[in-house]
Amino acid sequence: MSNESLPPSSHLPKVKRNKGISPLWALPILTMLLAGWLVVKAIHDAGQRVQIYFSDAAGLVAGRTTIRYQGLEVGMVRDINLSEGLDSIYVDADIYPEATKLLSKETRFWLVKPTASLSGISGLDALVSGNYISIQPGSLESKELETKFVALDKAPADLRDTLDGLSITLKAKDLGGISVGSQIVYKKIPIGEIYHYQLDDKGQNVIIQASIKEEYRHIITDKSRFWNVSGIGAHFDFKGIDVRLESLSALFSGAIAVDSPDDGLPVDTNTQFKLYKDVQTAGRGIAIKVTLPDDNKISPAGAPIMYRGLEVGQVTDLSLSEDRESIIASAAIQPAFSDMLNSGSQFILEEAKVSLSGVENISNLVKGNFLTLVPGGGDKARNFTAIRKNDFNRQQARSIPLQLVSNNSFGLEPGANILYRGIQVGVISKVSLKDETVLIDTLIDNNYASLLRSNNRFFVTGSASAELTESGLRVTVPPAKQLLTGSISFVSDGLSKAKKSYPLYASQSLAELAKSNQAGSIAVTLVANELPPVSKGSPILYRNLEVGSVLDYKLKGKNVVITTHIDNRYKHLITDSTVFWNRSGVEFNASLSGVSVKASPLKTLVQGGIAFDSLDSVENKQGSHYKLYESFDNARKFGHTITLTASNADSLSIGTGIEYNGVKIGELTSLTPDFDSKSVVLEARIYPDFAQVVAKEGSYFWIDEPEIGLSAYATLKNILKQFN
């Protein structure tokens, strides 16, 4: 179609191109910018992602459980997952950017949830807002970022150290009803509370950590005393029963009371104090130390310290000294009696005494022993040494110490009397055992000091006794009181200078026998395979003359060792060739020529006895001791022992004789096979009369075998002959 065909009134449009940006693009651009800003803001607000491991997921909710620092929200739990080992759970949480500086290797997390107990309600804010995770940062100077943590089961024990107030530590033997949240009270006013407890490194004591409010910090000083006031306290003695009941809070949740003297000094954080179990043992007063004797039976729980029947102090604790050699009692004396605590003052251990002769301090059997204070002069002192009453009497020159030595206590006990001619002149203070010896400590009244002489002989008289002597039967029965309690009597003899120790004899007769011993004697020790029929006091005879007696005997290894004494006037009879043998009862000797009977002296028939004489060529010693033979014949024939070796011993036996030209000069005593050399070892004894001639180098021995023929026979005996 051409332009000519258009109607005259029509116009052609003018087409123009727009060279700018359309306004319609503004909306998507703004949308993209807003989305980017939101992404950047979301990333910025998310902060640092961390993982926190818990033992369980109780109380944790993703998107709701917050993380707080001192009440301020610093993070949020985003997700909760199981660990790979299925033994724990972990949460993915975001820590807000402004709080990321709290994260380091020392940072700690724990879950806070409301708990209720008799001591009160904790985590009350969690009851309103729900459970939350609390964070405690480590050192703020640390720049090393950590993102994985293991949560604590509960708030850390040292949390209170970062808060206001005074943190202290209490040390106790046991917890005693105390729990977390238990109050610390001063004059019935709560001034702090317990926030943690645990065993010490050795597991022997309980360490309790407590916090004192800042406004009461000045109350706690270096002289403060803490004691347990939990539950009901009761004290029983002969005066009755004392029952103490604290507040209901202390009854159910436990509490600790504190008292502080006026002259104490302020203490630093975490100062340790001892926690006493009650007010009696808290030892409020002047603190002193008393070194106690062993076996003192002092109660560490408030044993009293007395002065003229009045209680002036108490024992608060017992402990060992640093070298573990002594027992130290910590005690407190009432301030009103401070003028008695001088270097010259003494503490006496008062012990219970119950015997047939009397009763003293019977209440100690229930309450334990106690101490008595005896004031003295000198400078002020705080350390003392307690002594027993007997030692105190001796120090006051009221008695003289004396020790008796014996091998038996004879049933004597402390408190038994020491008598002289039936009059009491002393008392036994202690009976002890040292090795195999009994030591009896006694105190002799100073008024009878003149009776103590160099040769005094002490003997037991507190029991009935019967003794068979050459003159007949002697029976001794002491008075009834001595028979019940036991006693010791003595004979005063010798020079006026007394000894510190004397032997104690079992009876008066042995004490009399000892009189001759004190005149001068020598000791001779015998050894035997078994104890012959002898006793203490049995006579020692030389050709039927009594020259000494048996003092004692005891078992040593496989042998019996017998101690004897020989009077000095007969000591020349003891020579290198002296031989001892048993001489008890009646000796029989039967042979083809008849029977020989030899009776011992009367005393040896009753008590047994030992005889000796000089026999040449007899082995008379075993080591340094003399051998004791069974009889004179056994000793006379013993002679000298030799050892022989034979290829066989078919025709030999123990007792086979050793002959020289038809004369018996010895016999075999043992046959022992030697498997290594395939021979027999023979031990033989050469009689004393022939020992010097036969038992020497150059002698030889052979076995004389029995011979039997058709026409004649030799003597049917096995003879071991010797030819020189």
Side-chain angles (χ1 to χ4, degrees):
M1 178 180 294
S2 64
N3 293 333
E4 294 178 356
S5 60
L6 293 173
S9 60
S10 63
H11 298 280
L12 294 173
K14 293 181 179 181
V15 178
K16 294 183 178 181
R17 294 185 177 271
N18 191 359
K19 299 181 179 179
I21 299 174
S22 174
L24 296 177
W25 286 101
L27 182 60
I29 291 173
L30 290 175
T31 303
M32 292 178 64
L33 291 175
L34 180 61
W37 178 81
L38 290 174
V39 170
V40 172
K41 185 176 185 303
I43 294 174
H44 179 269
D45 291 344
Q48 177 65 49
R49 177 63 60 93
V50 296
Q51 286 184 349
I52 308 173
Y53 287 80
F54 290 86
S55 58
D56 58 63
L60 297 173
V61 180
R64 291 181 55 186
T65 302
T66 59
I67 299 176
R68 299 183 186 181
Y69 174 64
Q70 295 187 354
L72 176 66
E73 182 178 334
V74 296
M76 176 68 70
V77 173
R78 299 303 181 185
D79 194 11
I80 302 175
N81 302 285
L82 277 173
S83 63
E84 293 182 1
L86 303 180
D87 55 349
S88 63
I89 65 100
Y90 67 90
V91 300
D92 290 322
D94 290 333
I95 302 298
Y96 301 154
E98 63 271 15
T100 54
K101 60 183 178 180
L102 299 176
L103 301 176
S104 67
K105 289 185 177 181
E106 299 175 354
T107 302
R108 292 180 288 187
F109 294 87
W110 67 93
L111 182 65
V112 178
K113 50 188 176 181
T115 57
S117 65
L118 293 173
S119 59
I121 299 175
S122 62
L124 189 60
D125 53 344
L127 185 64
V128 177
S129 62
N131 298 345
Y132 63 89
I133 298 173
S134 185
I135 180 175
Q136 183 188 26
S139 175
L140 296 179
E141 297 178 358
S142 177
K143 297 182 179 180
E144 185 176 354
L145 183 66
E146 181 68 26
T147 59
K148 289 187 178 182
F149 303 91
V150 177
L152 303 177
D153 292 333
K154 57 183 177 180
D158 57 355
L159 180 62
R160 295 299 181 98
D161 296 344
T162 62
L163 304 180
D164 292 337
L166 175 66
S167 293
I168 60 173
T169 301
L170 304 176
K171 183 178 180 180
K173 294 293 185 182
D174 55 59
L175 195 58
I178 300 299
S179 61
V180 173
S182 295
Q183 294 179 340
I184 297 178
V185 297
Y186 175 73
K187 296 183 178 180
K188 304 290 185 179
I189 298 175
I191 64 171
E193 66 176 15
I194 305 301
Y195 65 85
H196 184 69
Y197 57 82
Q198 64 185 25
L199 287 173
D200 62 6
D201 295 338
K202 297 182 179 179
Q204 296 180 351
N205 297 289
V206 178
I207 304 300
I208 302 171
Q209 292 174 309
S211 177
I212 304 297
K213 297 177 182 179
E214 183 64 27
E215 61 266 32
Y216 299 117
R217 185 189 189 107
H218 64 281
I219 295 177
I220 308 303
T221 68
D222 59 345
K223 293 188 177 181
S224 296
R225 294 293 180 105
F226 295 82
W227 65 93
N228 196 329
V229 291
S230 305
I232 300 176
H235 175 69
F236 169 78
D237 58 20
F238 286 100
K239 298 179 182 179
I241 300 177
D242 179 22
V243 179
R244 302 184 311 278
L245 178 63
E246 297 292 335
S247 64
L248 290 178
S249 175
L251 178 64
F252 292 109
S253 63
I256 294 175
V258 61
D259 187 18
S260 299
D262 296 334
D263 56 347
L265 299 176
V267 298
D268 297 329
T269 299
N270 292 326
T271 299
Q272 186 176 96
F273 296 88
K274 180 174 181 179
L275 177 61
Y276 296 90
K277 69 176 185 178
D278 52 36
V279 66
Q280 281 77 18
T281 57
R284 293 180 295 175
I286 301 174
I288 63 172
K289 301 287 186 181
V290 183
T291 301
L292 300 176
D294 291 339
D295 194 27
N296 52 77
K297 295 183 174 63
I298 285 285
S299 172
I305 298 175
M306 309 297 293
Y307 171 69
R308 292 188 176 182
L310 299 176
E311 184 174 337
V312 298
Q314 289 181 335
V315 173
T316 60
D317 189 30
L318 295 180
S319 62
L320 288 174
S321 59
E322 293 183 358
D323 57 4
R324 299 188 179 183
E325 295 293 332
S326 305
I327 300 174
I328 307 297
S330 299
I333 302 297
Q334 297 178 20
F337 299 94
S338 61
D339 58 319
M340 297 182 180
L341 300 178
N342 304 317
S343 58
S345 299
Q346 290 183 301
F347 287 83
I348 303 172
L349 178 63
E350 299 285 355
E351 301 176 281
K353 176 184 175 183
V354 179
S355 64
L356 295 172
S357 59
V359 177
E360 184 177 348
N361 294 330
I362 189 173
S363 62
N364 291 15
L365 297 176
V366 177
K367 299 188 298 182
N369 296 329
F370 62 92
L371 297 174
T372 294
L373 172 61
V374 179
D379 299 330
K380 295 294 183 182
R382 295 296 182 264
N383 295 291
F384 303 89
T385 299
I387 60 175
R388 287 187 160 85
K389 198 168 187 178
N390 291 332
D391 296 332
F392 176 75
N393 292 336
R394 183 175 69 251
Q395 290 182 4
Q396 301 300 312
R398 298 176 185 175
S399 56
I400 301 172
L402 205 67
Q403 190 174 74
L404 305 180
V405 181
S406 176
N407 60 357
N408 196 309
S409 69
F410 304 106
L412 297 170
E413 296 181 354
N417 294 330
I418 308 294
L419 306 176
Y420 181 75
R421 297 186 179 182
I423 298 176
Q424 181 182 353
V425 298
V427 67
I428 294 176
S429 61
K430 181 181 178 182
V431 179
S432 59
L433 182 66
K434 184 178 181 181
D435 297 330
E436 297 294 327
T437 303
V438 177
L439 302 179
I440 302 176
D441 294 324
T442 67
L443 295 173
I444 305 298
D445 195 297
N446 194 52
N447 297 326
Y448 302 101
S450 60
L451 296 176
L452 300 180
R453 296 179 174 270
S454 60
N455 292 335
N456 280 16
R457 299 181 300 282
F458 291 80
F459 52 91
V460 179
T461 55
S463 59
S465 62
E467 186 176 7
L468 182 62
T469 65
E470 297 90 332
S471 59
L473 183 65
R474 183 170 66 184
V475 179
T476 303
V477 180
K481 185 176 181 179
Q482 296 182 31
L483 188 62
L484 294 174
T485 62
S487 64
I488 294 175
S489 297
F490 66 94
V491 176
S492 180
D493 192 12
L495 302 177
S496 58
K497 185 177 180 180
K499 298 179 181 179
K500 293 183 178 180
S501 178
Y502 293 89
L504 175 63
Y505 300 99
S507 63
Q508 186 175 1
S509 61
L510 291 179
E512 293 173 353
L513 182 63
K515 183 178 181 179
S516 62
N517 299 344
Q518 293 175 348
S521 62
I522 62 171
V524 179
T525 304
L526 312 179
V527 61
N529 293 330
E530 61 181 22
L531 181 67
V534 297
S535 59
K536 296 179 182 179
S538 296
I540 306 296
L541 304 176
Y542 177 79
R543 299 181 183 180
N544 284 340
L545 173 66
E546 184 175 347
V547 297
S549 64
V550 175
L551 289 180
D552 194 12
Y553 46 81
K554 61 183 178 180
L555 186 63
K556 186 176 182 181
K558 296 182 179 180
N559 297 320
V560 176
V561 177
I562 304 170
T563 304
T564 68
H565 79 93
I566 307 296
D567 293 347
N568 270 343
R569 53 181 172 170
Y570 301 115
K571 65 180 181 181
H572 64 280
L573 299 175
I574 306 299
T575 66
D576 292 338
S577 60
T578 298
V579 178
F580 290 83
W581 64 87
N582 177 31
R583 184 71 187 281
S584 304
V586 180
E587 298 179 4
F588 292 90
N589 188 8
S591 64
L592 296 176
S593 60
V595 178
S596 174
V597 179
K598 186 177 182 180
S600 301
L602 177 60
K603 190 171 185 178
T604 61
L605 289 174
V606 177
Q607 294 183 309
I610 295 174
F612 72 91
D613 208 332
S614 294
L615 298 177
D616 294 330
S617 302
V618 175
E619 291 185 0
N620 62 343
K621 284 193 174 182
Q622 182 174 323
S624 60
H625 302 327
Y626 284 92
K627 295 178 66 173
L628 178 62
Y629 289 95
E630 297 178 1
S631 64
F632 173 72
D633 287 339
N634 185 274
R636 180 176 59 84
K637 293 180 179 180
F638 194 86
H640 188 78
T641 301
I642 63 174
T643 302
L644 305 172
T645 303
S647 59
N648 65 76
D650 294 340
S651 57
L652 301 178
S653 62
I654 295 177
T656 297
I658 300 175
E659 294 185 359
Y660 175 77
N661 291 339
V663 178
K664 188 174 182 180
I665 61 172
E667 61 184 32
L668 294 181
T669 58
S670 73
L671 294 83
T672 305
D674 187 345
F675 296 102
D676 294 335
S677 61
K678 298 181 180 180
S679 60
V680 180
V681 177
L682 312 175
E683 286 193 359
R685 188 170 61 222
I686 305 300
Y687 296 152
D689 296 340
F690 313 107
Q692 293 183 355
V693 178
V694 174
K696 66 180 183 178
E697 186 178 358
S699 299
Y700 63 93
F701 301 80
W702 69 88
I703 299 175
D704 192 3
E705 299 286 352
E707 299 178 1
I708 300 178
L710 295 176
S711 58
Y713 62 92
T715 304
L716 296 178
K717 61 182 178 180
N718 296 330
I719 304 173
L720 185 62
K721 292 188 176 181
Q722 178 269 354
F723 179 80
N724 188 14

